[in-house]
Amino acid sequence: MTTNTGFELMIQGPDETGLQQCVGLSGGPLRSPVRIEFIADQPAQPLAQRLAGLLRQQVGADNRRWTSCRCDAEMIGASCRAWDDQSIRNVLVVVTTDDSPSAPIRREIERWINADHDVYSVMRVDAEPEHVLPPQLVGRLALRYEESIGEVIEEILDAVYLASEERRAFISYAHADGFETATQVFRALSEARYDVYLDRFRTRPPTDFGDRINDELIDKAMIVVVETAGAGRSRWVRQEIDAAHTNGYGVLGVLVDDLDAARPHDKIDDLERLRLPSLTPEDCERLVEQVNAVYRRAVQRQRERADDALRTALSAEVGTRPDVHLLEDGGDLIVQTPTHRYRAAASYRTAGVREGRALEERRREKETPVLHSPAPVRTDRRHDMRWLSAQTDVSFIPHGVVLLGSRLIARGEW
């Protein structure tokens, strides 16, 4: 999605002269626009420049083209068009030096915090936060590196891709011999701000277990499989892995070597597996890093699948009707019929409450917003869908009826 800035992702950082360079990307992997700015006092500006370059390289790895865009911010504290655009998420990354930050850096940090924007600090592992950070950032999340500044790029990618997401993961395991490990995985991911489904904690006796599992799987971007001998024999675990592969979810097998009789699951490829000697805090950090990487790829894949399905179905219907036109506006699909105008978007989430509300905010006068998303199985998720329908003008095209929905839209009958 792009906004009046014309870009889905904007990256600002110091160039060789110390001025803020601004580049923008459209047609990229994000659903919600993000502007990320790197700032630093002069001694650390090469490090900030390095991080901005690594981010461009990582996001543009599939040969997407970056465009130099006009940036009014030629010095710290100047304005940017993204600042007052409520649809754009602003992220500030402060690269520290060995000394206390200068007054301009402190003022800029305060400006971002007062605007309720996200602020991250980057520092060496041996740095004292009280010395290198202003008081507003002490106690906040800090990204630390040991030898190379590039060590934090994965965490910055997480900030760009995932911080605005409600991150969801499903833990698949066998109760007989995987419960203890599954509980440790649950805790590690929960502490990393994931909404984790583990049936020991989340399923209650009155719940239809089959519906619960199906809905939790459909509403997650990935599953984490605790690989044990019991998991290899479990019909449930095999079905959950099959469902994840069939639907394009991310899959990560976790094989902890000190488990008795642990063995790789034959449904999981070695490329989808993380081997750990144990689950110490350091091992849990590796686990979270790997989950983040798999999750990012899975979310992008899920979004693209949902978008492609909607685009293909609408294009096919519109193509048969010369008086109906398919347009695009900031990532949304616009269908103009002789009598109606629709604004359509897709979500990989069940009911897609967040995307539905954002879609309504983006719509223009006399447009009907339509959201293409999976139909919920559980009753409480159906309440979410009914709530969105009652509180907004958004209507749903559930997954599975996208052809029928597109046909009715092209006729102006949805």
Side-chain angles (χ1 to χ4, degrees):
M1 174 190 171
T2 59
T3 60
N4 60 23
T5 63
F7 298 101
E8 179 181 301
L9 176 63
M10 289 164 285
I11 298 177
Q12 294 172 282
D15 60 16
E16 294 81 358
T17 67
L19 297 179
Q20 290 296 89
Q21 180 188 44
C22 186
V23 295
L25 178 71
S26 56
L30 301 181
R31 189 68 185 92
S32 301
V34 175
R35 168 209 177 199
I36 181 165
E37 182 171 1
F38 298 86
I39 64 171
D41 279 320
Q42 200 283 325
Q45 283 187 359
L47 297 178
Q49 183 182 350
R50 169 70 173 153
L51 275 181
L54 285 172
L55 181 58
R56 290 196 296 269
Q57 180 181 340
Q58 292 283 340
V59 179
D62 53 359
N63 297 318
R64 292 189 176 98
R65 295 186 61 185
W66 289 95
T67 303
S68 294
C69 52
R70 180 173 180 269
C71 177
D72 296 328
E74 293 187 353
M75 62 183 68
I76 292 174
S79 62
C80 176
R81 290 177 62 200
W83 185 269
D84 297 318
D85 190 331
Q86 297 301 312
S87 65
I88 294 180
R89 179 168 163 259
N90 285 272
V91 180
L92 181 68
V93 177
V94 184
V95 182
T96 64
T97 67
D98 293 333
D99 298 315
S100 299
S102 65
I105 291 288
R106 291 198 303 270
R107 286 195 297 268
E108 184 69 354
I109 292 170
E110 185 174 2
R111 189 171 77 102
W112 283 66
I113 291 176
N114 290 341
D116 201 27
H117 293 325
D118 296 331
V119 180
Y120 297 88
S121 56
V122 177
M123 66 181 67
R124 294 185 61 88
V125 293
D126 55 358
E128 293 293 336
E130 293 80 3
H131 178 66
V132 302
L133 292 177
Q136 309 100 301
L137 293 187
V138 175
R140 289 185 175 227
L141 177 65
L143 313 182
R144 293 177 175 265
Y145 64 97
E146 187 170 1
E147 296 179 358
S148 169
I149 192 75
E151 295 169 18
V152 303
I153 192 62
E154 286 293 322
E155 293 174 276
I156 291 175
L157 284 166
D158 290 342
V160 171
Y161 280 85
L162 302 182
S164 60
E165 295 279 348
E166 184 181 349
R167 299 187 280 185
R168 297 178 169 100
F170 180 101
I171 299 177
S172 179
Y173 71 103
H175 284 264
D177 57 0
F179 174 70
E180 183 178 347
T181 301
T183 302
Q184 290 178 279
V185 171
F186 174 89
R187 289 171 179 162
L189 294 181
S190 297
E191 290 174 1
R193 305 187 307 280
Y194 275 86
D195 176 8
V196 191
Y197 177 78
L198 180 69
D199 67 89
R200 166 66 178 81
F201 294 102
R202 302 287 289 277
T203 301
R204 300 292 180 262
T207 302
D208 184 310
F209 188 70
D211 281 355
R212 180 76 183 194
I213 292 294
N214 289 337
D215 207 48
E216 289 293 345
L217 270 175
I218 212 172
D219 200 40
K220 302 293 185 278
M222 71 171 295
I223 69 170
V224 179
V225 183
V226 176
E227 297 190 77
T228 61
R233 297 187 297 267
S234 170
R235 175 173 61 90
W236 282 108
V237 172
R238 295 178 76 85
Q239 288 179 349
E240 289 157 6
I241 297 172
D242 285 340
H245 283 147
T246 298
N247 292 287
Y249 307 146
V251 177
L252 179 66
V254 178
L255 186 61
V256 181
D257 291 337
D258 65 357
L259 282 178
D260 293 337
R263 68 182 186 193
H265 200 292
D266 60 6
K267 287 279 186 178
I268 298 177
D269 188 271
D270 249 357
L271 296 176
E272 299 176 317
R273 177 172 291 113
L274 176 64
R275 295 178 181 269
L276 295 172
S278 59
L279 278 175
T280 64
E282 292 76 16
D283 293 323
C284 286
E285 286 183 11
R286 285 185 58 200
L287 168 67
V288 171
E289 289 175 3
Q290 191 67 20
V291 168
N292 284 345
V294 174
Y295 190 90
R296 283 200 305 270
R297 294 192 295 269
V299 165
Q300 182 177 343
R301 185 165 57 242
Q302 293 291 83
R303 285 174 178 156
E304 290 173 348
R305 285 174 61 137
D307 288 343
D308 288 346
L310 180 62
R311 184 182 301 275
T312 300
L314 287 175
S315 298
E317 288 300 324
V318 169
T320 66
R321 300 173 183 275
D323 58 343
V324 179
H325 304 285
L326 181 64
L327 312 169
E328 186 167 348
D329 180 23
D332 296 337
L333 297 175
I334 308 297
V335 179
Q336 181 67 62
T337 76
T339 57
H340 291 79
R341 182 179 173 93
Y342 298 90
R343 178 177 290 268
S347 169
Y348 69 92
R349 292 193 184 100
T350 302
V353 172
R354 180 182 301 175
E355 289 90 340
R357 295 191 64 174
L359 177 64
E360 186 188 41
E361 291 173 1
R362 295 194 299 269
R363 72 164 174 160
R364 297 175 185 172
E365 188 177 359
K366 297 182 179 179
E367 285 182 345
T368 300
V370 180
L371 184 68
H372 172 49
S373 70
V377 177
R378 283 170 29 218
T379 301
D380 57 344
R381 294 288 165 81
R382 293 174 189 161
H383 289 163
D384 289 343
M385 181 179 284
R386 285 197 291 270
W387 176 86
L388 187 60
S389 297
Q391 297 296 321
T392 73
D393 294 325
V394 176
S395 60
F396 285 93
I397 301 179
H399 285 190
V401 295
V402 65
L403 291 176
L404 173 62
S406 298
R407 188 173 304 124
L408 294 177
I409 286 176
R411 294 176 182 172
E413 298 174 0
W414 187 264

